[in-house]
């Protein structure tokens, strides 16, 4: 674990963004979600937010860690419109062809792809922009991509250096990106207001929900939501 004093705040804020973005997307009429690099469902997961608003909402979690997938499947066992796929999300065609996903989602209808707290683990050599573009290409207009991404933040860089000093070992590899690099990841999509912003500030009026958090000065990263236009 990276030794950053405010790590719990960072994790909680990302989960709060996930909930705000899922709520917003459902309210635009989208009922199908794919959560890439989902990790284990914790609290306020995509399927809980979506299915509270519409029990018919369908959610597919994707993770490459078999332990996460096995535990995750057990945790969602009671939810009929939810599935867990074990796959590498860097292979969009394989993910979108997975039988568990195809059983739940209709790719002729809009889909929201969530990539929360995962893209900074992906190096430029894996071409994350091309990966996202491949998902978008296979989805119809009004589909969405939500992402959170750690930024070029001084405190974060200090935290990583502190990890190296304390443990005498390299910290987990993260690929910090600035707001322009994050914009490049979402090329071709229309950015939903307020655009690419420090994550605690991503909200879409009138969703001033109770966990809306406004401390961008100590948040080391960004959030954004893009929508596929009808005529790219
Ligand atoms: C930080 S954790 C969970 C983040 C989660 N989205 C959240 O909001 O809490 C990142 C997860 O991404 C998964 N992951 C990393 N690279 C992946 C890949 N290429 N394909 C699928 N899952 C991946 C890991 O197994 C891990 O469970």
């Amino acid at each position: 674990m990276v030794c950053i004093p405010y790590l719990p705040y960072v994790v909680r804020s990302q989960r709060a963004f996930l909930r705000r973005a899922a709520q917003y997307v459902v309210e635009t009429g989208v009922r199908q979600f794919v959560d890439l690099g989902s990790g284990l469902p914790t609290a306020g997961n995509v399927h809980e937010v979506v299915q509270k608003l519409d029990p018919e909402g369908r959610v597919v979690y994707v993770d490459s860690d078999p332990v996460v997938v096995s535990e995750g499947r057990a945790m969602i066992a009671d939810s009929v419109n939810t599935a867990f796929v074990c796959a590498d999300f860097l292979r969009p065609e394989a993910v979108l062809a997975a039988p568990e996903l195809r059983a739940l989602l209709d790719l002729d209808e809009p889909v929201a792809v969530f990539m929360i707290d995962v893209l900074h683990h992906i190096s430029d050599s894996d071409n994350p922009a091309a990966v996202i573009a491949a998902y978008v290409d296979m989805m119809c207009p009004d589909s969405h991509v939500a992402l959170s991404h750690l930024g070029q933040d001084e405190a974060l860089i200090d935290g990583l250096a502190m990890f190296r000093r304390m443990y005498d070992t390299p910290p987990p590899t993260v690929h910090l990106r600035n707001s322009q690099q994050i914009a490049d990841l979402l090329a071709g999509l229309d950015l939903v207001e307020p655009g690419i912003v420090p994550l605690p500030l991503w909200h879409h009026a009138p969703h001033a929900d109770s966990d809306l958090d406004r401390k961008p000065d100590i948040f080391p990263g960004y959030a954004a939501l893009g929508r596929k236009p009808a005529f790219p």
Side-chain angles (χ1 to χ4, degrees), residues 11 14-15 18 35-40 42 45 62-66 68 85-91 95 114-118 120-122 126 148:
V11 173
Q14 300 203 76
R15 299 297 298 178
L18 177 152
D35 187 1
L36 299 176
S38 62
L40 262 187
T42 54
N45 301 292
V62 178
D63 206 285
S64 55
D65 182 334
V68 166
V85 171
C86 190
D88 178 354
F89 69 66
L90 296 177
R91 300 179 59 222
V95 169
F114 275 45
M115 305 181 88
I116 309 300
D117 193 12
V118 290
H120 39 252
H121 299 299
I122 306 301
D126 279 321
S148 71

Side-chain angles (χ1 to χ4, degrees), residues 178-203:
N178 60 33
S179 58
Q180 180 55 54
Q181 291 168 312
I182 293 167
D184 293 343
L185 295 178
L186 296 172
L189 298 177
D190 292 339
L191 288 178
V192 174
E193 290 295 326
I196 298 167
V197 290
L199 181 143
L201 292 182
W202 196 97
H203 62 101

Side-chain angles (χ1 to χ4, degrees), residues 203-219:
H203 62 101
H204 196 85
H207 301 297
D209 58 7
S210 57
D211 62 7
L212 181 61
D213 182 335
R214 294 171 183 274
K215 293 180 188 155
D217 47 328
I218 61 164
F219 193 89

Side-chain angles (χ1 to χ4, degrees), residues 41-168:
T42 54
N45 301 292
V46 179
H47 75 286
E48 291 165 337
V49 176
V50 170
Q51 291 165 4
K52 187 172 172 193
L53 294 166
D54 181 349
E56 298 297 312
R58 282 151 284 150
V59 178
V60 176
Y61 294 107
V62 178
D63 206 285
S64 55
D65 182 334
V67 176
V68 166
V69 174
S70 165
E71 297 279 323
R73 282 182 176 147
M75 291 170 75
I76 61 161
D78 294 337
S79 173
V80 285
N81 286 325
T82 310
F84 231 110
V85 171
C86 190
D88 178 354
F89 69 66
L90 296 177
R91 300 179 59 222
E93 288 191 7
V95 169
L96 294 184
E100 304 98 316
L101 183 147
R102 286 306 180 112
L104 273 187
L105 306 191
D106 175 0
L107 298 187
D108 292 329
E109 296 289 326
V111 176
V113 171
F114 275 45
M115 305 181 88
I116 309 300
D117 193 12
V118 290
L119 284 168
H120 39 252
H121 299 299
I122 306 301
S123 69
D124 286 346
S125 62
D126 279 321
N127 203 345
V131 170
I132 294 173
Y135 281 102
V136 171
D137 278 351
M138 288 185 273
M139 301 185 316
C140 66
D142 284 333
S143 291
H144 288 69
V145 175
L147 62 83
S148 71
H149 202 300
L150 294 178
Q152 300 274 5
D153 176 84
E154 262 179 46
L156 184 58
I157 292 165
D158 287 351
L160 294 168
M162 195 192 311
F163 182 102
R164 182 184 288 274
R165 284 197 303 276
M166 284 176 67
Y167 298 106
D168 195 24

